[in-house]
Amino acid sequence: DFRNNRLQRALTWNPGGRLAGARHVTIGGNYAYVIADSGLIVVDLHDPLAPVLAASLPLNDGRASALQFRYLFVTDADGLKVIDVTHPEKARLLPQSSLHLASAQGLFLARTYAYVANGQQGLAIVDIERPERPRLIQDFNAGGGLVDARDVVVASTNASLFAYVADGVGGLKVLQLTAPDTQPNFYGFSPEPRPQLIARYATRHPALSLSRPLERDRAVDETGGQVAVFGRRGARPFNGAEMRRMYLDENGEPWHVQD
């Protein structure tokens, strides 16, 4: 609120100009994943006033990123790529994870699907159940109804899942992804989306980005810190150490199924 904003800058940090051109940041626990001119910069923020450059990876004109569990999904001029951030200081691009998209911009992850704003192609819907090898399900442009997709967020209302698309010069568009009459398995864990363009709103200027939706119930961040609580009583969510025991062995490496 500009009327009582008493925030003051406590630190300016750009070691060797590595963060020049910074244009997108994703926070995961105590780490910031920043997309800049030089690529992806991973910043350790355990001590916020003494940040540490933890890792860096080159990208081809990086655009945006989104974090799910131990994978960071990023978009650049090549399309969609997946980076293993199980150990953020050892971030690495998964070798067979690159998926070509014509104009990948903002993206949103919802369970086993990634939704990527893909310019004139509309909304790219990608199966990420196996993050090492993402698979394009469809490029949906609503028969020309999506013309300049720049960003997308996904949220649910009652029994339906919706995608809100910042469609650039096309304004704001709303897609219904699942509904009882289009997807019989709408109550499943991750039903396959069956998108329909259901609403549009003309904006005064090109719609370029959208705000993050509000997590409900007992969401936690990557450290196990609780994000929000909305009127629920009962068991607490897992903390960070408990979550790590579910996917890392005694050596701190991901569990693997033995043949």
Side-chain angles (χ1 to χ4, degrees), residues 12-85:
T12 300
W13 185 78
N14 186 11
R18 299 294 295 276
L19 294 175
R23 48 192 171 272
H24 190 275
V25 59
T26 293
I27 301 294
N30 295 317
Y31 291 88
Y33 302 92
V34 184
I35 290 181
D37 289 344
S38 60
L40 175 70
I41 307 300
V42 183
V43 183
D44 184 338
L45 295 174
H46 281 81
D47 182 350
L49 295 181
V52 175
L53 178 61
S56 63
L57 286 85
L59 294 172
N60 181 14
D61 183 22
R63 280 89 184 264
S65 67
L67 184 65
Q68 186 183 76
F69 195 33
R70 58 189 187 90
Y71 299 101
L72 186 76
F73 294 75
V74 301
T75 56
D76 68 4
D78 299 327
L80 178 68
K81 299 175 179 177
V82 185
I83 296 170
D84 184 336
V85 292

Side-chain angles (χ1 to χ4, degrees), residues 7 10 13-14 26 32 52 60 68-69 78 98 102 116 118 122 126 146 151 155 162 165 185 203 239 243-244 259:
L7 297 177
W13 185 78
N14 186 11
T26 293
V52 175
N60 181 14
Q68 186 183 76
F69 195 33
D78 299 327
S98 296
V116 185
N118 195 23
V126 181
L146 297 177
D151 197 9
F162 296 92
V165 180
N185 298 318
T203 52
N239 60 37
M243 287 192 290
R244 284 189 291 274
D259 295 330

Side-chain angles (χ1 to χ4, degrees), residues 105-180:
Q105 306 288 332
L107 72 160
F108 195 93
L109 310 177
R111 296 192 174 178
T112 62
Y113 293 95
Y115 300 87
V116 185
N118 195 23
Q120 293 182 354
Q121 304 297 315
L123 184 68
I125 301 176
V126 181
D127 184 338
I128 57 170
E129 184 173 3
R130 298 181 181 276
E132 298 85 357
R133 295 189 179 185
R135 181 172 61 93
L136 180 66
I137 298 297
Q138 65 171 307
D139 263 325
F140 178 78
N141 74 350
L146 297 177
V147 297
D148 186 27
R150 303 293 191 92
D151 197 9
V152 56
V153 301
V154 174
S156 60
T157 303
N158 195 10
S160 296
L161 190 68
F162 296 92
Y164 301 85
V165 180
D167 196 28
V169 296
L172 176 67
K173 306 289 174 60
V174 181
L175 309 180
Q176 188 160 13
L177 300 173
T178 64

